[in-house]
């Protein structure tokens, strides 16, 4: 649990049992509901012993793991873990939809602004909106954790996938990079990320995997990455030099499709790694390490692969003696929209939205708790609320959406901050998701 002093300055995190005692005795108040933060009423930072904590960040295109831990003489103990679920795919869909609406209205000769010229320059370091979202969300949570905990340093994994050298199938030097794509990666890590660390022929996970050629080299196949897949040892030996259509006829089409699919996630991480590092380094002392070091640490400590455990294993360490049991999942949900209309499938407005977002003291996205005394929705309900001007609200809980709850039964727990919070257990179950 995160602890603040009476002036809001972060102190050393404490255990849930200790936090309950402080709240029960009246020495602390709840500062924030999710993540749970308490504020002491009788303590200042000058009277406290603060050793500090460190952050580990495992960036990704869909999920980013962040771990808060203490480090003493190479020994790490996990204190808190959060998994950020990005919404880059949603942003891309919305941008494409907006572009299609505008293009369609122009094509129909409606009264609408003409397309702008395409000679506009972009500033140095510009990122596409979907990529900027990845770095901005990670930075936002780093700043949040720095407000709630005494962060001393940040360890971030910076991985580079050289798709150019992989596609060429040989080392490249000098001007050779002018005839292809990027630089500096590990083929095995590329394939592990692309195929989900599973055998493409039988789907088994958690076993040693070999690199297999879809089209055997003895029959003219190349070492290009589009011709490489992962296979467990029994499948690799059984396939030998047979074509995939002969060895696995039922899965051949899917294997060939996946083998040639582009690795968009790797491209997103490549594009944002420098921007993220510069932003973190300007805020806190930041140390960068490779993905190979993270994997070596995780294997040495015998931990399963999850986003948050990877974050705990980023950097130089000797051992990990304690991990968290529950991970907070923060899904990017946005803060609503500025548009006052909702379009139909052709892009024309079909209804108008109200000018204000708050009704009866609540706004869509607020974390609330409702206790309904009677009727079909009787009982307690905790989750994110969707408000209406009529006072009949919907609450989305971990078990589904409960509709038609009157505002008089609703109590505010936390204002909307753009995220939808859930929890999940740490370990292989979380990795499977």
């Amino acid at each position: 649990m995160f602890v603040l002093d009476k002036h809001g300055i972060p102190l050393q995190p404490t255990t849930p049992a200790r936090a309950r005692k402080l709240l029960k005795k009246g020495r602390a108040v709840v500062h924030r509901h999710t993540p749970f933060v308490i504020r002491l009423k009788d303590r200042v930072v000058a009277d406290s012993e603060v050793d500090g904590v460190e952050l580990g960040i495992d960036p990704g295109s869909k999920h980013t793991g962040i771990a808060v831990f203490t480090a003493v003489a190479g020994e790490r103990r996990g204190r808190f873990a959060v998994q950020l679920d990005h919404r880059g795919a949603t942003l891309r869909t919305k941008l494409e939809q907006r572009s299609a609406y505008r293009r369609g209205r122009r094509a129909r000769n409606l009264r609408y602004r003409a397309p702008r010229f395409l000679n506009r320059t972009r500033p140095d370091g510009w990122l596409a909106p979907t990529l900027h979202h990845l770095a901005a969300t990670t930075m936002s949570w780093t700043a949040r954790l720095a407000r709630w905990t005494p962060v001393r340093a940040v360890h971030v994994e910076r991985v580079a996938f050289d798709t150019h050298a992989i596609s060429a199938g040989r080392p490249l030097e000098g001007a050779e990079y002018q005839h292809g794509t990027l630089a500096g990666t590990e083929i095995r890590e590329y394939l592990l990320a692309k195929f989900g660390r599973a055998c493409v022929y039988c789907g088994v996970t958690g076993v040693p995997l070999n690199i297999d050629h879809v089209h055997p080299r003895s029959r003219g196949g190349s070492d290009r990455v589009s011709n490489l897949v992962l296979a467990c040892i029994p499948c690799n030996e059984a396939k030998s030099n047979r074509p995939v259509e002969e060895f696995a006829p039922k899965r051949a089409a899917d294997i060939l499709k996946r083998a040639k699919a582009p690795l968009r996630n790797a491209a997103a991480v490549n594009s944002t790694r420098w921007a993220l590092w510069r932003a973190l380094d300007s805020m806190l002392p930041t140390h960068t390490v490779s993905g190979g070091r993270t994997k070596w640490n995780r294997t040495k400590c015998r931990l399963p692969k999850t986003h948050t455990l990877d974050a705990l294993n980023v950097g130089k360490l000797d051992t990990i003696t304690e991990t968290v049991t529950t991970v907070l999942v923060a899904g990017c949900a946005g803060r609503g929209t500025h548009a006052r209309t909702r379009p139909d499938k052709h892009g024309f407005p079909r209804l108008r939205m109200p000018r204000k977002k708050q009704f009866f003291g609540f706004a869509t996205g607020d974390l609330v708790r409702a206790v309904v005394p009677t009727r079909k929705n009787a009982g307690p309900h905790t989750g994110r609320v969707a408000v209406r001007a009529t006072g009949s609200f919907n609450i989305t809980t971990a078990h589904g959406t409960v509709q038609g709850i009157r505002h008089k039964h609703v109590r505010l727990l936390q204002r909307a901050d753009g995220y939808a919070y859930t929890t999940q257990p740490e370990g292989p179950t979380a990795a499977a998701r």
Side-chain angles (χ1 to χ4, degrees):
M1 297 294 176
F2 301 143
V3 184
L4 305 178
D5 74 349
K6 62 187 299 183
H7 300 301
I9 301 176
L11 303 177
Q12 198 71 10
T14 187
T15 61
R18 176 70 173 169
R20 284 193 295 268
K21 290 181 180 180
L22 293 171
L23 291 171
K24 186 176 181 180
K25 293 180 179 180
R27 295 183 55 196
V29 294
V30 177
H31 180 79
R32 182 182 173 88
H33 185 277
T34 306
F36 195 75
V37 184
I38 64 173
R39 186 176 70 252
L40 299 179
K41 299 192 295 185
D42 57 354
R43 180 72 66 86
V44 294
V45 67
D47 301 331
S48 306
E49 182 178 348
V50 181
D51 297 328
V53 298
E54 298 181 11
L55 297 183
I57 301 177
D58 176 40
S61 63
K62 295 182 178 180
H63 312 281
T64 292
I66 302 179
V68 180
F69 57 86
T70 57
V72 179
E75 176 185 332
R76 288 187 180 180
R77 294 186 178 183
R79 298 306 183 195
F80 179 77
V82 57
Q83 175 182 304
L84 304 183
D85 291 348
H86 302 294
R87 63 186 191 117
T90 303
L91 293 177
R92 179 183 177 183
T93 302
K94 292 293 185 181
L95 291 172
E96 291 177 348
Q97 186 182 51
R98 184 184 69 179
S99 177
Y101 285 159
R102 292 176 175 177
R103 186 167 54 250
R105 286 193 287 257
R106 284 194 294 266
R108 287 189 291 266
N109 295 322
L110 301 177
R111 182 176 178 272
Y112 191 66
R113 63 188 178 192
R116 293 187 290 178
F117 292 104
L118 297 179
N119 60 351
R120 291 166 288 159
T121 59
R122 293 169 176 169
D124 294 337
W126 178 89
L127 291 174
T130 53
L131 300 180
H132 175 75
H133 162 74
L134 304 182
T137 307
T138 306
M139 286 302 305
S140 174
W141 270 92
T142 302
R144 289 184 176 202
L145 294 174
R147 292 198 304 265
W148 302 328
T149 58
V151 179
R152 300 290 186 257
V154 177
H155 305 269
V156 60
E157 180 179 306
R158 190 171 63 188
V159 181
F161 295 102
D162 187 356
T163 53
H164 186 146
I166 294 174
S167 62
R170 58 183 178 82
L172 301 176
E173 296 180 1
E176 292 179 330
Y177 277 104
Q178 300 177 7
H179 306 284
T181 46
L182 306 172
T185 187
E186 304 168 1
I187 292 180
R188 184 173 294 275
E189 288 295 324
Y190 176 96
L191 296 175
L192 288 172
K194 184 175 183 179
F195 294 103
R197 301 176 181 271
C199 174
V200 297
Y201 301 115
C202 65
V204 66
T205 59
V207 299
L209 299 173
N210 290 344
I211 296 178
D212 182 58
H213 293 76
V214 178
H215 188 57
R217 292 190 60 187
S218 60
R219 300 194 178 194
S222 68
D223 287 330
R224 293 189 61 183
V225 71
S226 61
N227 192 46
L228 302 179
V229 295
L230 294 177
C232 62
I233 295 177
C235 289
N236 191 21
E237 294 178 349
K239 180 177 178 292
S240 186
N241 66 339
R242 290 186 290 171
V244 65
E245 296 86 351
E246 178 182 342
F247 175 69
K250 295 182 179 180
R251 306 191 65 177
D254 182 64
I255 292 173
L256 292 173
K257 181 181 179 181
R258 294 179 63 190
K260 296 180 180 179
L263 194 60
R264 296 185 181 91
N265 298 334
V269 175
N270 276 350
S271 301
T272 57
R273 68 183 190 273
W274 286 106
L276 179 61
W277 172 75
R278 292 190 188 99
L280 289 172
D281 195 50
S282 64
M283 180 186 300
L284 293 165
T286 303
H287 311 281
T288 60
V289 294
S290 67
R293 179 59 185 257
T294 302
K295 180 181 178 181
W296 186 81
N297 290 338
R298 188 183 68 248
T299 303
K300 182 180 68 172
C301 297
R302 298 181 180 180
L303 294 174
K305 177 173 177 57
T306 66
H307 301 288
T308 48
L309 287 180
D310 271 1
L312 183 60
N313 283 276
V314 172
K316 297 180 180 180
L317 61 91
D318 293 332
T319 183
I320 295 177
T321 58
E322 185 178 347
T323 62
V324 299
T325 58
T326 303
V327 175
L328 177 66
V329 181
C332 299
R335 295 179 178 268
T337 176
H338 294 285
R340 291 192 57 219
T341 60
R342 289 290 175 87
D344 58 12
K345 64 179 180 179
H346 303 293
F348 292 96
R350 60 181 178 87
L351 57 86
R352 288 188 177 274
M353 306 296 290
R355 286 183 177 271
K356 62 179 184 178
K357 292 189 176 182
Q358 282 197 4
F359 295 97
F360 305 97
F362 301 95
T364 296
D366 289 347
L367 183 63
V368 300
R369 177 178 174 83
V371 180
V372 183
T374 58
R375 298 190 177 182
K376 65 176 183 179
N377 292 330
H381 308 284
T382 303
R384 298 178 74 239
V385 66
V387 301
R388 294 190 184 96
T390 60
S392 179
F393 297 168
N394 295 348
I395 297 180
T396 301
T397 68
H399 308 289
T401 301
V402 183
Q403 299 182 349
I405 296 180
R406 296 299 301 175
H407 67 89
K408 63 182 180 180
H409 303 308
V410 179
R411 181 171 64 90
L412 179 67
L413 298 179
Q414 182 173 293
R415 288 295 182 188
D417 60 353
Y419 296 91
Y421 297 102
T422 56
T423 58
Q424 69 182 25
E426 181 64 281
T429 304
R433 301 181 183 182

